[in-house]
Amino acid sequence: MVIFINGKYIDKGDVRISPDDRGFLFGDGLYEVVLAYNGKPFRLEEHISRLKRGCEFAGIKLENADEIKEFCRSLIERNNLKENIANIYIQVTRGVYKRAHRFPPEGILPTVYIAAAEFSPNRVYQKYGIKVITVPDDRWDHCDIKTIDLLPNVLAHQKAFDQSGAEALFVNGGVLLEGTHSNFFTVMEGKVWTHPESNKILSGVTRRAVIEICNKLNIEIVEKAIEYIEISEIDEAFVSSTTLEITPVVNVDDIKIGNGRPGELTKLIQEKYQRMVNS
Ligand code: PDD
């Protein structure tokens, strides 16, 4: 498998990452996950904008951000992924320098790593829906920044997995925020509800696509936080993300959602999303 690292295309097995890389030492970096359908990366521009924004926030000088689009396309070609669904992983760290909390001096370039591999979205989850658990949100106050520092997400997701769940939802002050790697939506009174954009959630590319789909279908979207105590009133629920696409949620903390099966609006949005990514 050919990957991209710091300007070079090489075999993944030949990659050498320094132990002094700031990503390794501090989790000091940003990432993106993009899916390419039949060779076409879905909303790559939006992913790169979010990456640029994250780098600006972190003070990482990523000079060649726009070239990343070309590197992604080249990896699809080089790895013969034009006929498949490919998962493109992009990671940028503050680069390599001896360990100190302050930034390295001028001239130390960021580490840029990109890999593209064949990927299969979980169609069983998408057909039957998933069980999720809730966990207290113990992340930092900039969840809109897609940092590689994912320890709280990893711990929460493992907890869900240990309880036969497929995702964990972060709850703060009684409010349902988002999943460990997805945004969360509910359906109530025929409307689709999701947490508004804020520093408490990641502004998901898929989330925006769902909003567009609802607007086109004349389904009212309410960007308002849902309280945990409202769970029993939810008719349908789903999570959205690049890799989960639209995955119905049929159970939250052992509370059945609706009739325990994926809801009709969820299935409609799922179908429209598949059309969108494949068009
Ligand atoms: N995660 N919220 C969080 C915390 C996420 O990590 C993600 C994506 C999303 C959905 O964003 P998008 O629709 O742009 O993929 C929301 C990726 C897929 C991951 O960590 O693997």
Side-chain angles (χ1 to χ4, degrees):
M1 173 180 164
V2 178
I3 62 88
F4 174 94
I5 182 110
N6 298 332
K8 293 197 189 98
Y9 294 96
I10 58 172
D11 193 81
K12 193 174 180 187
D14 295 331
V15 176
R16 297 283 173 269
I17 304 274
S18 167
D20 286 331
D21 193 279
R22 303 274 305 197
F24 179 62
L25 292 175
F26 292 106
D28 188 1
L30 290 312
Y31 78 105
E32 282 297 325
V33 179
V34 184
L35 287 199
Y37 296 83
N38 299 315
K40 280 202 277 174
F42 182 65
R43 307 228 158 156
L44 185 53
E45 195 71 49
E46 288 185 43
H47 285 280
I48 300 301
S49 302
R50 188 167 65 190
L51 180 66
K52 280 192 203 167
R53 202 183 141 249
C55 286
E56 268 161 38
F57 173 90
I60 294 177
K61 292 199 184 90
L62 182 64
E63 309 288 354
N64 58 352
D66 288 312
E67 285 177 64
I68 288 179
K69 285 178 254 173
E70 223 16 75
F71 305 150
C72 293
R73 294 203 174 91
S74 177
L75 283 176
I76 292 171
E77 293 255 7
R78 286 166 194 259
N79 291 293
N80 294 321
L81 294 165
K82 281 193 131 174
E83 318 276 290
N84 314 73
I85 300 181
N87 179 320
I88 307 170
Y89 180 77
I90 308 167
Q91 177 168 312
V92 176
T93 78
R94 202 182 299 281
V96 178
Y97 198 65
K98 64 175 187 262
R99 190 181 183 280
H101 285 72
R102 64 180 179 276
F103 291 0
E106 283 291 316
I108 297 295
L109 297 177
T111 301
V112 179
Y113 166 65
I114 313 171
E118 198 176 334
F119 180 78
S120 309
N122 193 322
R123 303 293 182 210
V124 176
Y125 282 178
Q126 290 183 4
K127 183 160 185 210
Y128 298 104
I130 57 170
K131 168 188 150 90
V132 303
I133 64 161
T134 61
V135 291
D137 188 19
D138 51 6
R139 300 172 300 166
W140 68 333
D141 228 13
H142 296 286
C143 297
D144 52 329
I145 301 297
K146 206 162 168 52
T147 165
I148 58 171
D149 206 344
L150 289 170
L151 187 56
N153 308 54
V154 167
L155 296 179
H157 194 264
Q158 183 61 37
K159 193 169 177 189
F161 185 80
D162 290 342
Q163 296 176 25
S164 314
E167 178 60 307
L169 302 178
F170 290 113
V171 177
N172 195 342
V175 164
L176 291 162
L177 296 169
E178 64 172 343
T180 64
H181 60 298
S182 60
N183 291 115
F184 182 60
F185 289 79
T186 57
V187 178
M188 287 185 293
E189 305 155 354
K191 300 174 195 165
V192 173
W193 303 66
T194 195
H195 195 284
E197 287 197 1
S198 79
N199 59 324
K200 296 285 175 206
I201 65 160
L202 186 78
S203 171
V205 172
T206 324
R207 177 187 176 280
R208 279 196 294 274
V210 169
I211 293 174
E212 268 177 43
I213 289 169
C214 289
N215 286 337
K216 272 200 199 127
L217 293 172
N218 280 325
I219 300 168
E220 194 176 331
I221 265 273
V222 190
E223 291 186 67
K224 192 168 172 288
I226 300 275
E227 303 264 332
Y228 186 82
I229 48 166
E230 291 173 285
I231 286 181
S232 55
E233 291 161 37
I234 294 173
D235 300 318
E236 303 179 25
F238 61 92
V239 284
S240 76
S241 86
T242 296
T243 48
L244 290 167
E245 300 177 322
I246 311 300
T247 295
V249 171
V250 292
N251 188 302
V252 180
D253 287 343
D254 291 329
I255 305 165
K256 195 156 82 172
I257 303 298
N259 60 9
R261 289 197 295 275
E264 291 308 314
L265 268 188
T266 304
K267 286 197 270 184
L268 180 62
I269 294 166
Q270 236 181 2
E271 184 200 314
K272 297 288 177 195
Y273 185 76
Q274 283 308 317
R275 278 206 206 160
M276 196 180 228
V277 294
N278 287 300
S279 67

